[in-house]
Amino acid sequence: MTLIAPTLQSFFTDRLARHKRVSEHTIAAYRDTMRLLLAFVKQRTGTPPAKLDWAQLDASTILAFLDDLEHSRGNTIRTRNARLTAIRSLFAYASLRHPEHAATIAQVLAIPAKRYEKATITYLTEAETQALLAAPDQNSWEGHRDVVLMLTAIQTGLRISELLNLNRGDITLGAGANVRCEGKGRKHRAVPLNEPVRNALAGWLTRTATGADQPVFTTRGGRRLSTDAVRSRLDLHSRTAARQCTSLAGRKLHPHVFRHTAAMNLLHAGVDTTVIALWLGHADVRSTNAYLHADMTIKEKALAQVSPTTVKISRYRPPDKLLAFLESL
């Protein structure tokens, strides 16, 4: 019998933190996966996590856990696959330390990710963008903040986490105005600002606390704004905007729609997808290709450039008497 506890601990402290130097978000996601898995196995077998053996984490148990996530907890298939990725990482690490459990580990590593239908990317049209930006009351402190936040998100394409983590020192408003952020995989990038956004940020920063380490988007009390707060404000403004723009009625907007909108605006402007990938901080340009599929106008322009095929319609006539006989049967 080999307990998993020592290996699990070294997986986090040695493998992830010291050798791979993954981000805090990755460690938190993997931690939550292991907590859910261990709780599931304890409920199923009665074995406390500290006493759990590798033989008890076979492929059938892992599959049962994944099914429980999807059907009992209501997780999406994407979340299910993300949990499986964390488990695979642990088992790949364990395979080097526990060759005596090679067969069990190999079976778990062979579990495939579940296929799912990818939803079409949603984004805001120009009319919807203008209606949403006009929805907040800019005479109020919160309304002014929300407009600047949405305007910055739509122009820069920053993820909502990147946007809310911005400090005053990350923004340059002079020559070569830009915002700097740290994205996924601790990749740093700078995104240029156009004049309207630069002016909007300049006006907003006069109403916030000074200091390079002070957050840009805060609550009235000075605390950094949360993602849940942004979702709540977006719901409020989208309902207001729907009164003027009927295409927003009934739509549940997520803050990520600003990032999609930024990408589609660049695409419509004729910017190459490799540049858009750099702009958005995508590790692979294939992630950016999804925007090509979402835009029907690009496909329509491509169709307009193709000469229509003309075919003369005529009745088929057999070239041979025998074929003519068979056709007549």
Side-chain angles (χ1 to χ4, degrees):
M1 184 178 74
T2 308
L3 298 180
I4 72 166
T7 304
L8 184 60
Q9 291 173 354
S10 63
F11 171 69
F12 279 96
T13 59
D14 191 50
R15 177 73 164 184
L16 295 182
R18 190 163 70 90
H19 288 164
K20 299 190 72 174
R21 298 185 62 199
V22 301
S23 68
E24 294 179 359
H25 298 292
T26 300
I27 290 179
Y30 280 30
R31 174 205 63 202
D32 292 343
T33 298
M34 300 312 162
R35 289 172 62 183
L36 289 170
L37 175 60
L38 295 177
F40 172 80
V41 176
K42 180 182 179 181
Q43 183 181 21
R44 195 183 194 199
T45 65
T47 305
K51 300 295 184 181
L52 203 61
D53 176 64
W54 284 103
Q56 295 172 279
L57 291 181
D58 56 8
S60 61
T61 300
I62 301 300
L63 285 170
F65 167 68
L66 296 173
D67 288 340
D68 183 73
L69 289 177
E70 188 176 350
H71 301 298
S72 299
R73 297 182 62 88
N75 289 168
T76 64
I77 296 179
R78 292 186 65 176
T79 301
R80 177 190 190 275
N81 289 343
R83 301 297 188 198
L84 177 58
T85 297
I87 292 171
R88 281 176 174 171
S89 184
L90 170 64
F91 275 72
Y93 176 70
S95 66
L96 304 175
R97 299 170 63 92
H98 300 290
E100 69 275 15
H101 295 290
T104 299
I105 292 172
Q107 290 175 355
V108 172
L109 292 175
I111 297 175
K114 193 170 185 178
R115 295 177 65 89
Y116 61 94
E117 294 182 3
K118 294 184 179 180
T120 303
I121 289 174
T122 58
Y123 60 96
L124 300 172
T125 64
E126 180 62 25
E128 292 168 345
T129 299
Q130 295 304 322
L132 198 58
L133 291 173
D137 177 12
Q138 294 197 51
N139 293 321
S140 69
W141 188 90
E142 288 85 356
H144 185 189
R145 176 201 62 197
D146 293 349
V147 169
V148 177
L149 186 149
M150 291 189 292
L151 195 61
T152 305
I154 290 169
Q155 194 257 293
T156 63
L158 265 62
R159 300 176 179 90
I160 190 61
S161 59
E162 297 168 347
L163 192 68
L164 298 181
N165 284 330
L166 286 179
N167 294 328
R168 291 177 66 104
D170 298 324
I171 299 176
T172 300
L173 295 178
N178 67 86
V179 294
R180 298 175 300 280
C181 69
E182 181 180 306
K184 285 185 177 180
R186 289 200 291 269
K187 295 190 293 291
H188 294 266
R189 73 183 189 279
V191 182
L193 298 174
N194 61 24
E195 187 173 355
V197 177
R198 181 181 62 191
N199 294 337
L201 280 169
W204 170 246
L205 292 178
T206 62
R207 306 183 69 172
T208 61
T210 58
D213 60 345
Q214 293 298 314
V216 175
F217 299 108
T218 66
T219 63
R220 270 192 179 272
R223 296 188 304 275
R224 195 180 296 274
L225 205 61
S226 69
T227 303
D228 288 339
V230 174
R231 287 198 188 100
S232 177
R233 299 293 293 179
L234 181 56
D235 286 341
L236 173 66
H237 298 320
S238 63
R239 289 194 299 270
T240 303
R243 300 170 191 163
Q244 303 298 325
C245 186
T246 55
S247 61
L248 289 173
R251 286 179 62 181
K252 183 71 173 177
L253 297 182
H254 186 278
H256 212 65
V257 74
F258 298 136
R259 181 170 167 85
H260 293 328
T261 302
M264 295 306 294
N265 289 342
L266 291 170
L267 201 58
H268 289 156
V271 179
D272 189 82
T273 54
T274 55
V275 177
I276 298 176
L278 291 172
W279 189 291
L280 299 179
H282 284 162
D284 193 325
V285 72
R286 287 177 295 182
S287 300
T288 315
N289 288 338
Y291 298 106
L292 292 171
H293 296 284
D295 188 16
M296 186 60 67
T297 60
I298 292 178
K299 299 174 185 177
E300 290 172 346
K301 289 178 181 178
L303 179 63
Q305 295 175 9
V306 178
S307 300
T309 302
T310 57
V311 179
K312 183 179 179 181
I313 305 300
S314 61
R315 186 175 179 180
Y316 169 75
R317 297 183 183 280
D320 185 269
K321 292 182 178 180
L322 181 57
L323 292 178
F325 165 74
L326 293 175
E327 288 289 337
S328 67
L329 296 177

